[in-house]
Amino acid sequence: MGVRRIAEQELYFQEIKEIIQYHQEHRNLTRLAYQSAMQFLMFRIFYERSLEEVFMNELHFVREARRELEELTRCVDWKRKEGENEIRGKDTKEVMELRKCIETVGVFLYEYRLRTEEYAVLIGCIIQILQAAKDNHREVEGRCTELLKHASRNAAVEIDDLLESGAAHMALGETIRFDLLKSPVEDYLLFFENICKRLKENKEKENEETKRKETKRKVFDRLEEEGYEDGIIRLRYCILKGIFGDDFLVRRIEYYIVHC
């Protein structure tokens, strides 16, 4: 009975994969149906690691996610504030579809560990959405910062991807502008914390030391140019003086110093 059930599940997953591939070629599903099918398969990764290769090499998830994000970004009315319309109109539907797509990408960046050269472009799309969502679509903005944290933690996403995509520059600008009430500074600092930890961890691997030094220099030069360290020191001073009333950042301040 167990063998039969496994065989039935494999057939079921194969059929869903074929439906997704047919849609990618013919566009016969609604966007939400397509996203739901992708999500359904994606959550199986917790039980079947082999699905990683299916998503990367057969379903081309990164390429498809980038295309979906780009299309949805063009459809959303970014000037209209969240909750402005009582009637659920087209833009509300598009925002809902965008959130679902971002959620799926978030699961992917959090859990998947296969390398692809397309990560920088995908993260670049996330940055574009984040910039467009600022002020008027705070929930979308928050979900995008979550994606940046996942990307900075994921070893399959190289630090160079975070530099080339503009993610480090975006996080840096938000960190040093001091607007803790309007900007999720904690999320951006965790982004840098992950980068710093990875640079330190790579130090233990002798065969990666040359690349680590080169990458660290890129990060440090960018941060030094933009005044990141000075911003961290001023931010720490404000927190110590009780201006923001939370010592979370102070207790973790050593993680944000890159030249160590």
Side-chain angles (χ1 to χ4, degrees):
M1 183 66 180
V3 174
R4 179 181 178 183
R5 178 175 297 177
I6 292 174
E8 289 175 348
Q9 287 182 343
E10 289 179 352
L11 179 60
Y12 186 52
F13 292 136
Q14 178 65 26
E15 289 176 348
I16 294 177
K17 187 184 78 171
E18 291 175 358
I19 289 172
I20 291 174
Q21 289 174 321
Y22 188 85
H23 167 76
Q24 290 175 345
E25 183 177 353
H26 301 284
R27 303 297 169 192
N28 64 312
L29 298 175
T30 65
R31 180 172 278 119
L32 285 178
Y34 176 49
Q35 291 175 350
S36 296
M38 276 286 204
Q39 262 194 7
F40 180 83
L41 275 186
M42 181 168 291
F43 282 115
R44 293 296 304 175
I45 189 63
F46 297 108
Y47 309 101
E48 299 181 38
R49 303 302 302 185
S50 62
L51 283 178
E52 283 189 284
E53 292 190 8
V54 172
F55 267 89
M56 296 293 282
N57 302 325
E58 297 183 49
L59 299 181
H60 308 286
F61 177 81
V62 176
R63 182 191 67 194
E64 286 292 307
R66 183 191 69 191
R67 183 191 58 77
E68 288 280 303
L69 289 173
E70 288 174 344
E71 289 184 3
L72 286 165
T73 301
R74 290 192 294 267
C75 294
V76 172
D77 181 0
W78 294 109
K79 295 181 180 180
R80 178 166 294 168
K81 294 184 178 180
E82 287 179 321
E84 189 173 290
N85 265 359
E86 293 183 2
I87 301 175
R88 295 177 63 84
K90 178 181 178 181
D91 70 314
T92 304
K93 174 188 173 185
E94 300 297 341
V95 169
M96 179 179 67
E97 292 175 343
L98 178 61
R99 288 172 180 165
K100 190 175 181 66
C101 187
I102 291 172
E103 178 184 333
T104 305
V105 173
V107 175
F108 179 83
L109 289 175
Y110 183 82
E111 187 64 28
Y112 283 56
R113 294 294 182 267
L114 292 183
R115 173 68 189 155
T116 173
E117 298 300 321
E118 296 178 293
Y119 276 130
V121 180
L122 176 62
I123 296 170
C125 291
I126 296 168
I127 297 302
Q128 291 178 1
I129 296 171
L130 205 163
Q131 291 174 325
K134 287 172 61 176
D135 300 326
N136 286 352
H137 292 267
R138 298 294 299 281
E139 184 179 346
V140 173
E141 179 186 6
R143 293 191 182 199
C144 286
T145 60
E146 284 287 331
L147 263 60
L148 293 186
K149 285 195 298 184
H150 294 337
S152 66
R153 187 184 298 116
N154 191 333
V157 180
E158 295 186 356
I159 294 176
D160 278 342
D161 294 330
L162 303 175
L163 295 173
E164 294 172 10
S165 65
H169 183 75
M170 174 73 180
L172 175 63
E174 293 300 306
T175 299
I176 63 179
R177 75 187 183 99
F178 268 36
D179 198 349
L180 286 182
L181 297 179
K182 292 185 179 180
S183 176
V185 172
E186 184 176 309
D187 287 347
Y188 290 118
L189 285 175
L190 288 173
F191 171 87
F192 284 116
E193 176 183 327
N194 291 331
I195 291 179
C196 295
K197 282 182 175 180
R198 289 176 60 183
L199 288 172
K200 292 175 183 177
E201 289 168 358
N202 288 342
K203 191 174 182 179
E204 305 300 323
K205 305 174 184 177
E206 294 182 3
N207 62 328
E208 295 185 4
E209 179 63 11
T210 301
K211 183 177 181 180
R212 185 192 75 86
K213 288 183 177 179
E214 180 183 352
T215 302
K216 188 174 76 167
R217 174 50 55 186
K218 289 180 183 178
V219 174
F220 178 70
D221 287 347
R222 175 68 60 83
L223 299 184
E224 185 178 44
E225 179 182 337
E226 299 292 338
Y228 171 77
E229 298 288 357
D230 291 338
I232 293 297
I233 292 171
R234 293 195 301 271
L235 186 60
R236 183 184 187 187
Y237 174 81
C238 290
I239 296 172
L240 285 172
K241 289 294 184 180
I243 296 175
F244 302 123
D246 188 350
D247 68 344
F248 174 83
L249 301 178
V250 176
R251 287 184 281 110
R252 307 172 73 89
I253 200 75
E254 69 276 9
Y255 289 120
Y256 312 133
I257 306 303
V258 178
H259 58 286
C260 49

